Amino acid sequence: MSLNILEISYLIASLTFIVGLKMLSHPDSARKGNLIAAAGMLIAIIATLTLFQDFDEDKMLNYALIFGGLIIGTFIGTIMAKKVQMTAMPQMVSFFNGMGGACAALIAIIEYQHHQHTTVTGFDGELLVMLLGLLIGSVSFSGSMIAYGKLEGKIKDKVLPMNQAINMILLGAIVVLIIYQLFAESTPLEFYILLGLALVYGVLFVMPIGGADMPVVISLLNSFTGMAAAFGGFLYDNKAMLTGGILVGSAGTILTILMCNAMNRSLTNVLLGAFGGATGGQPKSQTGDQTVREISISDTAVLLSYSQNVVIVPGYGLAVAQAQHTCHELEKLLEEKGVEVNYAIHPVAGRMPGHMNVLLAEADVPYEKLQEMEEINPKLANADVVVVIGANDVVNPAAKNDPSSPIYGMPILEVDQAKNIIILKRGMSAGYAGIENELFFYPKTRMLFGDAKDSLQKLTAEVKEV
């Protein structure tokens, strides 16, 4: 009877994961979807602890440790989530993803210890699942921790000499080690060597990747964690864990492919020749007019106030300045004056998938105003003013005009087609891809230098007076 209830609980949990994931596709329902999926996970945990085995005195210590871990983990996770700034959200995603990978690897380690005392005739499918869970979980953990350090600014992009060759050798050694353990007698020595190689591979795999490629890497590592969790579901015959892992793995893989398509690059190109890393070529030298034209706050306010159509392009600089609320205030003020205002969202703007969507949703910007690249690009030629706030590489015309540029071929927001362009920026520094933005020197471009939040506050005050 208890086993039937347990299976029903897992089915309910699986359904909540599916419904929650579906609801995450729209900001209006995302919060509720997240809570529904979390409730499903709670059901699965409670059902496992109370129904999987009889509760007896011999297991009191184990249950105390489990509940102690749940309480401590819940407390730490809640505090971290409440304190995190929007600018640090990508780091938080990487950190939590790494913890998921570590859990999957630990499951494989624990189950391997039990597996050593069993005798298997023929092909050992259970051992294969353990080895794959260990490999993918370890790579996800170490890779996510490196991504966390890079996003936090504590680890710099670094390409070792013959980095690709070393990675291929490591990967080959890992494959050989897995095959050896499957068809020869597996011992703890080979198992833990595999663990060490997987951790090293995760580090070397992510270390040279940076810049605008980081959102792709985060989504790829997320898919790794999902696959590792699914392997854990196989080991335990746990339908909820299996369903959750498959959903995370497939969603992360699809997102990775979509983002690669958005950059017009293959996943292999991202991993082996990232334009955010150190392998990109040098762009051609700039020619022609290299004059930078500044604009004042008052002139900007007049230009915006008497426009009919304004498009705002948010970037990572908006997140750093924490200026999303001020930006929304300016948008509302302009609309009161009869100006149509929309936001142009590039798929890889920011440091994680959907970074700008999350940032603007937090400021209560209506979802209908957030227009994706394919939707907004045909409209930019009719925009009276495009205001670029903290975006750089995703609006750089070199992606279209300069075959020698590291970002050549990446689809961009074609703000150069607008009638007027205003760029809010602290200075003339290059973007995360490390190249100069030729848009800065266009005759119709004006630079409004200063901190984005401070500039927007002054601009909002000035617009009120126009």
Side-chain angles (χ1 to χ4, degrees):
M1 179 65 180
S2 61
L3 186 60
N4 291 334
I5 298 176
L6 180 63
E7 293 299 324
I8 293 172
S9 300
Y10 287 161
L11 177 61
I12 293 173
S14 299
L15 290 174
T16 62
F17 296 160
I18 296 170
V19 172
L21 183 62
K22 175 63 177 175
M23 296 178 72
L24 287 174
S25 63
H26 197 286
D28 291 343
S29 58
R31 184 185 295 272
K32 186 181 292 184
N34 200 25
L35 292 174
I36 289 174
M41 180 58 75
L42 182 62
I43 290 172
I45 292 172
I46 293 174
T48 301
L49 293 176
T50 57
L51 301 173
F52 187 72
Q53 290 179 332
D54 292 334
F55 191 83
D56 55 52
E57 286 189 26
D58 293 338
K59 294 181 179 127
M60 284 295 291
L61 177 60
N62 289 338
Y63 275 78
L65 291 173
I66 290 171
F67 280 106
L70 284 172
I71 293 170
I72 294 172
T74 300
F75 176 77
I76 294 175
T78 302
I79 296 299
M80 290 180 67
K82 284 184 174 294
K83 287 190 173 183
V84 66
Q85 299 292 327
M86 287 304 298
T87 52
M89 193 60 72
Q91 293 94 301
M92 176 71 75
V93 171
S94 291
F95 182 81
F96 283 168
N97 186 66
M99 293 300 101
C103 288
L106 287 173
I107 287 174
I109 292 171
I110 292 169
E111 289 307 305
Y112 179 77
Q113 294 173 355
H114 297 158
H115 186 73
Q116 285 182 278
H117 304 294
T118 61
T119 302
V120 179
T121 57
F123 180 75
D124 195 345
E126 187 173 326
L127 178 60
L128 175 61
V129 172
M130 292 178 198
L131 295 175
L132 291 177
L134 177 73
L135 168 62
I136 299 175
S138 300
V139 170
S140 178
F141 167 68
S142 58
S144 295
M145 291 301 99
I146 294 298
Y148 170 82
K150 289 161 77 74
L151 291 167
E152 193 71 18
K154 295 178 179 178
I155 300 176
K156 302 297 182 184
D157 300 339
K158 186 175 182 180
V159 181
L160 297 176
M162 301 179 65
N163 188 85
Q164 293 181 22
I166 294 172
N167 281 352
M168 294 304 294
I169 292 172
L170 268 176
L171 191 58
I174 288 170
V175 172
V176 169
L177 203 53
I178 289 176
I179 294 174
Y180 175 79
Q181 291 188 79
L182 287 174
F183 295 99
E185 184 177 352
S186 176
T187 66
L189 177 62
E190 288 91 6
F191 185 82
Y192 289 110
I193 288 176
L194 176 63
L195 171 62
L197 290 177
L199 291 171
V200 172
Y201 181 77
V203 172
L204 298 180
F205 165 70
V206 178
M207 185 64 78
I209 302 173
D213 290 332
M214 285 309 294
V216 180
V217 174
I218 290 174
S219 62
L220 181 62
L221 291 171
N222 192 53
S223 70
F224 285 176
T225 298
M227 287 189 289
F231 287 131
F234 276 117
L235 287 175
Y236 291 139
D237 193 24
N238 188 310
K239 309 299 187 298
M241 185 184 293
L242 182 61
T243 303
I246 291 173
L247 288 174
V248 173
S250 58
T253 302
I254 292 170
L255 181 58
T256 301
I257 294 171
L258 290 174
M259 297 186 73
C260 285
N261 291 338
M263 296 190 296
N264 194 31
R265 302 167 71 209
S266 67
L267 181 59
T268 303
N269 181 253
V270 170
L271 299 180
L272 299 183
F275 58 66
T279 57
Q282 293 298 319
K284 67 184 180 182
S285 58
Q286 299 289 340
T287 58
D289 187 5
Q290 293 292 290
T291 304
V292 175
R293 301 163 180 86
E294 293 190 49
I295 190 171
S296 66
I297 292 288
S298 57
D299 288 345
T300 303
V302 171
L303 182 59
L304 292 175
S305 298
Y306 289 98
S307 296
Q308 293 183 332
N309 188 341
V310 171
V311 175
I312 298 173
V313 180
Y316 186 61
L318 181 71
V320 172
Q322 300 184 43
Q324 62 270 26
H325 294 280
T326 311
C327 184
H328 182 40
E329 185 181 350
L330 175 63
E331 164 222 318
K332 292 189 293 183
L333 192 60
L334 290 174
E335 291 200 321
E336 289 174 4
K337 293 178 175 289
V339 182
E340 180 184 354
V341 182
N342 289 293
Y343 293 82
I345 308 297
H346 194 283
V348 296
R351 296 295 179 268
M352 71 175 183
H355 196 176
M356 295 301 105
N357 301 70
V358 173
L359 191 72
L360 294 171
E362 193 235 353
D364 296 324
V365 174
Y367 181 69
E368 296 72 24
K369 289 188 172 295
L370 308 184
Q371 299 190 19
E372 300 296 332
M373 180 173 60
E374 295 80 4
E375 182 182 3
I376 196 68
N377 268 348
K379 305 175 184 178
L380 288 175
N382 297 321
D384 296 310
V385 185
V386 167
V387 182
V388 180
I389 309 174
N392 200 326
D393 300 323
V394 297
V395 297
N396 192 341
K400 299 186 300 179
N401 306 331
D402 185 2
S404 66
S405 172
I407 65 170
Y408 182 71
M410 182 182 85
I412 60 169
L413 293 166
E414 298 176 352
V415 302
D416 55 313
Q417 301 298 315
K419 298 171 186 175
N420 295 281
I421 306 162
I422 297 175
I423 299 176
L424 276 66
K425 199 165 170 31
R426 287 179 178 272
M428 293 294 292
S429 59
Y432 208 4
I435 58 174
E436 192 172 59
N437 193 338
E438 62 184 53
L439 182 68
F440 297 167
F441 310 109
Y442 275 34
K444 55 185 175 182
T445 298
R446 299 292 182 271
M447 305 294 295
L448 183 58
F449 292 112
D451 175 75
K453 187 173 185 178
D454 182 59
S455 296
L456 287 171
Q457 287 174 337
K458 293 177 180 178
L459 188 56
T460 301
E462 194 70 28
V463 167
K464 291 178 181 179
E465 302 299 324
V466 175

